[in-house]
Amino acid sequence: MVTYMETGSIDPRYNLAFEEYVLCHRTTGDILILWQNENSVIIGQNQNTLEEINVPFVEKHHINVVRRTTGGGAVYHDLGNLNYSFITDLEDPEKLTINKFTIPVINALEQLHVHAAASGRNDILIDGRKISGTAQRIEKSRILHHGTLLFRSNPGMIDGALNVDPHKFRSKSAKSVKSRVGNIADYIDEDMTLREFWEHLKESLSGEGFVQGSLTKEELRGVEALKRDKYDTWEWNYGRSPEFQMHHKSYWDGGALEIYGDMKKGRIEALKIYGDFLAVKSMEEIIPLFTGKEFTRAACKGVLDGIRLSDYFGTITEEEILSTMFE
C-alpha cells in the first residue's frame, strides 16, 4: 500500500525541502507525493545557475530560482504543471533503470488515451514533444525519482525563462538540452481540468491503493528548518555553481562596452572591463570593488551606486552596464 502525501504549498523552496526531508527521514515504505510550484526555474544540482536562466526575464516576471538535489537540466514550473515524487527502497542498484518509474506514468497517460513514450534522456514524450522530465537521487537504501508533467503550462514563459545566450558563459557545468515541449491537455479528448488530472494520477500511480499520509508537527518543523538553512539561501541556489567565465560585449550611444569575468562559487574572482567610451579615470581603480561580490545584479548595482559613473564610463548609464553584464 502506497502512502500518499501533498505538501500543501506552491513555494518551490518549501516543496523541495519537504521532498528531501521525507526521503531522508521516512526510511521505509512506498511514498507518492504530488505537488505544484508557482512560477519557478528549478536548476539541476550540477548546473551553473546563471548559464541556465534569462536573468532579466526571470526578474521581470518574479520567477523563483531554486536548485534541487538531483541531476539533469533546468526546468520551468508553473501552476499548469504537476510534479510527482516516488520514494521507495533501493533494490539492486546494478539493475536500476528509469523504466521502473516512467512506465507507471506512461500507463496513467494511456488510460486517458494519450500515447506517450520514454526517451533515452529520461524524458517522456508525446508526438516527439517533451511533456515530462525526470531525475533520481539515491540516499542510503532509498531512492527518489521525481518528474514534471506539463499539463497546461505556458510555453512562452518556459521559453523566456530558460532562453540564455550560449556564447556568454563558459564552464564545465552540466548544460540543459533544449527540447520541443508539449502540454498533455492538448492530447486529451475530453475537457479535463488539472485537478481532475491530479486525481487520476493519484489513483493510477498508487497501484493497488493508497493511505493518506502526513508529517507530524515535529517533522514539519524539520522541513521549515531545511528550507531556511538550505533552499532559501543564495549559497545553495547560486553560490554552489561551478567555476565559470562570463564574456559579453554591447554597443551603446556612449560607446562599446566589453566585460570579462571569472566566477568562483557564484562570486566575482576577477573582472576586466574594456571599451571605447570616454572615461577620465582608470578602470583599475574600481575593479577591486567588485572582487568577492556575489555575481548578481543587485550586488553589482551596489558597487556602481557607490562611484561617480561618468568618471569611469563616460555617458554609458548604470542600466547599460548592468545589461551588458547580465543580459
Side-chain angles (χ1 to χ4, degrees), residues 4 9 18 52 63 74-75 110 140 164 175 241 296 305:
Y4 172 74
S9 173
F18 186 103
E52 299 299 326
I63 297 171
V75 290
E110 191 68 37
K140 298 180 180 177
V164 182
K175 309 297 191 296
S241 297
T296 63
D305 285 344

Side-chain angles (χ1 to χ4, degrees), residues 12-198:
R13 296 170 178 84
Y14 182 88
N15 287 337
L16 287 170
F18 186 103
E19 179 189 63
E20 182 178 4
Y21 189 92
V22 172
L23 171 66
C24 296
H25 292 83
R26 293 288 183 100
T27 56
T28 59
D30 299 330
I31 298 171
L32 169 66
I33 309 171
L34 295 181
W35 47 287
Q36 284 188 298
N37 286 333
E38 62 187 358
N39 293 10
S40 310
V41 174
I42 309 300
I43 305 294
Q45 66 166 335
N46 298 315
Q47 293 191 295
N48 170 18
T49 302
L50 290 169
E51 270 187 299
E52 299 299 326
I53 64 172
N54 180 341
V55 174
F57 187 94
V58 164
E59 291 182 347
K60 177 181 178 181
H61 294 278
H62 307 290
I63 297 171
N64 300 288
V65 178
V66 190
R67 187 184 302 279
R68 63 180 186 269
T69 62
T70 56
V75 290
Y76 176 78
H77 291 183
D78 61 19
L79 295 180
N81 171 75
L82 180 61
N83 304 297
Y84 64 91
S85 304
F86 291 122
I87 299 173
T88 189
D89 291 334
L90 179 65
E91 296 168 354
D92 185 348
E94 298 299 322
K95 296 181 180 179
L96 178 65
T97 68
I98 205 78
N99 289 339
K100 173 182 168 97
F101 300 100
T102 56
I103 287 176
V105 176
I106 291 171
N107 289 341
L109 293 172
E110 191 68 37
Q111 291 164 7
L112 299 173
H113 308 291
V114 175
H115 307 300
S119 80
R121 287 184 35 246
N122 299 349
D123 296 336
I124 298 175
L125 310 179
I126 301 176
D127 286 344
R129 293 183 177 273
K130 177 178 175 178
I131 56 92
S132 176
T134 67
Q136 295 180 338
R137 171 186 170 185
I138 294 173
E139 178 66 25
K140 298 180 180 177
S141 63
R142 303 281 277 173
I143 182 168
L144 159 70
H145 173 97
H146 60 187
T148 59
L149 284 167
L150 298 175
F151 185 77
R152 197 173 276 117
S153 286
N154 185 333
M157 294 292 283
I158 296 172
D159 185 62
L162 300 177
N163 182 21
V164 182
D165 181 355
H167 302 294
K168 187 170 182 180
F169 299 104
R170 295 186 302 280
S171 81
K172 296 180 180 179
S173 69
K175 309 297 191 296
S176 293
V177 178
K178 298 297 183 285
S179 304
R180 291 192 310 158
V181 298
N183 275 313
I184 295 167
D186 295 335
Y187 298 92
I188 296 177
D189 293 335
E190 58 191 86
D191 187 17
M192 176 177 263
T193 65
L194 190 143
R195 190 67 228 186
E196 290 170 335
F197 178 68
W198 186 315

Side-chain angles (χ1 to χ4, degrees), residues 49 67 234-242 264-267:
T49 302
R67 187 184 302 279
W234 179 90
E235 285 75 16
W236 171 252
N237 295 317
Y238 287 86
R240 196 177 178 277
S241 297
K264 187 173 183 179
K265 295 184 177 179
R267 295 182 181 273

Side-chain angles (χ1 to χ4, degrees), residues 206-227:
S206 296
E208 298 179 356
F210 67 89
V211 293
Q212 187 70 45
S214 61
L215 298 186
T216 66
K217 290 183 179 180
E218 181 179 354
E219 288 174 319
L220 290 172
R221 285 193 290 271
V223 172
E224 290 286 359
L226 183 59
K227 172 182 178 291

